[in-house]
Amino acid sequence: MSCDTIVLGAGIVGVCTALHLQARGRQVALVDLKDPGEGTSHGNAGLIERSSVVPYAFPREFLRLLRYGLNREPDVRYSPCYLPKLAPWLLSFWRHSAPAPLAQATRAMRPLIERCVVEHDALVEQAGLQHLIRANGWIEIYRCPRALRRAQQQAQAMSAYGLHFELLDAAQLHAREANLSSEVCGGVHWLDPKTVSDPGSLTKGYAALFVQRGGQLLKGDARSLEPQAEGWRVRTEQGPLSAKEAVVALGPESNELLSPLGYRLPLAVKRGYHMHYAATQELKHSVCDTQGGYVLAPMTQGIRLTTGIEFAAADAPINETQLRRAEALARQVFPLGERLDPQPWLGKRPCLPDMLPVIGPAPRHRGLWLNFGHAHHGLTLGPVSGRLLAEMMTGEPPLTDPAPYSAERFS
């Protein structure tokens, strides 16, 4: 078998890359061991996060770092035995979170973040998936008046980025979400983002559109990719597949393919969990308790609670500590019903220390392209980063300068 381009990875980034290449006339095969949308694309909070123009940086306040060091906070947890291995990456992350490099990362991410909703809108309309999308934004909630005042001041500073939001006192917040408890004293309602009621189904719907338009969806192990004289070959259940070009869009597993080819990209994993709960009361918006480090989102499967960050080995067993902490806090602000899932779902966010993804050509292999490392924003940036890479691969003028996302920055 042969095609023009093999896309390795059927998560949201890989599927969108395949769709954009296909729309530009390429014959594309999408290869993964799993069905589309079965990895991290399945289990996130379902936010198309237009309001996150500033990347999630390493905290630099001493007292906050001290609290995290005690390992008792709900939003960040670490495995003590894994910390020494992760320490070099964390140090690099901390350095890139200083004011000047963080401002640089913000400028680099802005063109992608600004287009995230419109690029999703186009694919949603083409795939007929409007029933999965809500256009009512999401709400940050606060239980501490001091934290609320600080958050609302920070929100006002974001007006320079063209964002739309409303500052809510307790009465205004409870008018929008009547079933939040009186512990919540106010919030910020971000109006530009959209939310998804089933992120896994959205990815599957995009993949179905790809197949409907003539794309091949094949089961195969991406790690079998090997260079040939005229391109690349990968083994699939249907037999060997050859192409002139290949795209690595494997998210947290990208280094498993690239390391044998001689690449040493500093890709780390921020683990996160979700659990679904019975909806005993209505929740109209996705709400984020930033102090508690969790999101509650109304999903097709129930109310989904997604946790913050867990630093642990990617293949370490599930640890419910962080989920239990977040659940206890969530039950104080919203009447969650019983758990609906037999065990927590565990996802792995692929993160680079400078908070930017890798989008572009592999430096030392002709015809090999990269699209991964989107951290907390894989769902948000899947369509726009897929478009950018497709433009680069087909020689179109790119929607923004791709230089900040080059893999060569780690050479």
Side-chain angles (χ1 to χ4, degrees), residues 84-256:
K85 183 176 181 180
L86 188 66
W89 187 91
L90 286 174
L91 179 60
S92 180
F93 183 24
W94 180 79
R95 287 172 174 166
H96 281 102
S97 298
L102 179 59
Q104 183 178 355
T106 300
R107 289 192 296 271
M109 289 300 293
R110 185 173 179 178
L112 302 183
I113 293 290
E114 286 182 336
R115 293 199 59 85
C116 67
V117 171
V118 296
E119 295 295 339
H120 264 289
D121 285 347
L123 293 183
V124 164
E125 182 176 359
Q126 294 166 30
L129 299 172
Q130 293 89 340
H131 61 286
L132 296 177
I133 306 298
R134 293 186 298 267
N136 60 352
W138 66 279
I139 303 176
E140 283 182 83
I141 61 172
Y142 290 87
R143 292 170 281 119
C144 169
R146 183 179 176 183
L148 173 63
R149 288 193 297 272
R150 184 168 59 248
Q152 293 188 339
Q153 290 170 355
Q154 292 171 345
Q156 289 174 321
M158 302 293 279
S159 298
Y161 294 100
L163 299 176
H164 302 88
F165 57 86
E166 295 180 2
L167 307 181
L168 308 176
D169 60 23
Q172 292 167 326
L173 176 58
H174 287 96
R176 298 186 190 195
E177 288 292 350
N179 297 309
L180 293 176
S181 78
S182 59
E183 283 205 10
V184 181
C185 61
V188 180
H189 188 174
W190 297 98
L191 303 174
D192 299 287
K194 293 187 178 181
T195 57
V196 184
S197 62
D198 190 335
S201 290
L202 183 75
T203 305
K204 292 179 186 298
Y206 287 171
L209 177 65
F210 167 74
V211 173
Q212 176 188 331
R213 291 176 169 177
Q216 298 181 75
L217 182 59
L218 305 173
K219 290 286 183 70
D221 188 346
R223 292 170 297 183
S224 68
L225 184 75
E226 56 185 3
Q228 299 185 109
E230 297 297 325
W232 298 87
R233 181 174 62 189
V234 67
R235 294 192 297 273
T236 76
E237 292 182 359
Q238 291 79 9
L241 174 67
S242 298
K244 184 177 180 180
E245 296 179 308
V247 177
V248 179
L250 293 165
E253 284 115 32
S254 296
N255 266 351
E256 294 183 29

Side-chain angles (χ1 to χ4, degrees), residues 1 3-19 21-22 27-37 203-204 206-211 214-222 234-238 241 243 247-250:
M1 297 185 297
C3 61
D4 296 326
T5 308
I6 301 168
V7 176
L8 301 164
I12 187 69
V13 174
V15 170
C16 291
T17 301
L19 274 169
L21 286 167
Q22 184 184 59
Q27 184 184 5
V28 183
L30 187 59
V31 178
D32 202 321
L33 281 173
K34 300 177 181 178
D35 291 332
T203 305
K204 292 179 186 298
Y206 287 171
L209 177 65
F210 167 74
V211 173
Q216 298 181 75
L217 182 59
L218 305 173
K219 290 286 183 70
D221 188 346
V234 67
R235 294 192 297 273
T236 76
E237 292 182 359
Q238 291 79 9
L241 174 67
V247 177
V248 179
L250 293 165

Side-chain angles (χ1 to χ4, degrees), residues 68-88:
Y68 287 141
L70 297 174
N71 209 16
R72 297 174 184 171
E73 295 297 298
D75 55 335
V76 177
R77 180 194 169 272
Y78 62 87
S79 170
C81 61
Y82 184 66
L83 208 54
K85 183 176 181 180
L86 188 66

Side-chain angles (χ1 to χ4, degrees), residues 268-287:
V269 167
K270 294 180 183 177
R271 297 178 12 143
Y273 298 88
H274 85 219
M275 173 61 66
H276 292 106
Y277 300 84
T280 61
Q281 301 288 341
E282 184 182 25
L283 184 66
K284 297 178 180 179
H285 303 80
S286 296
V287 298

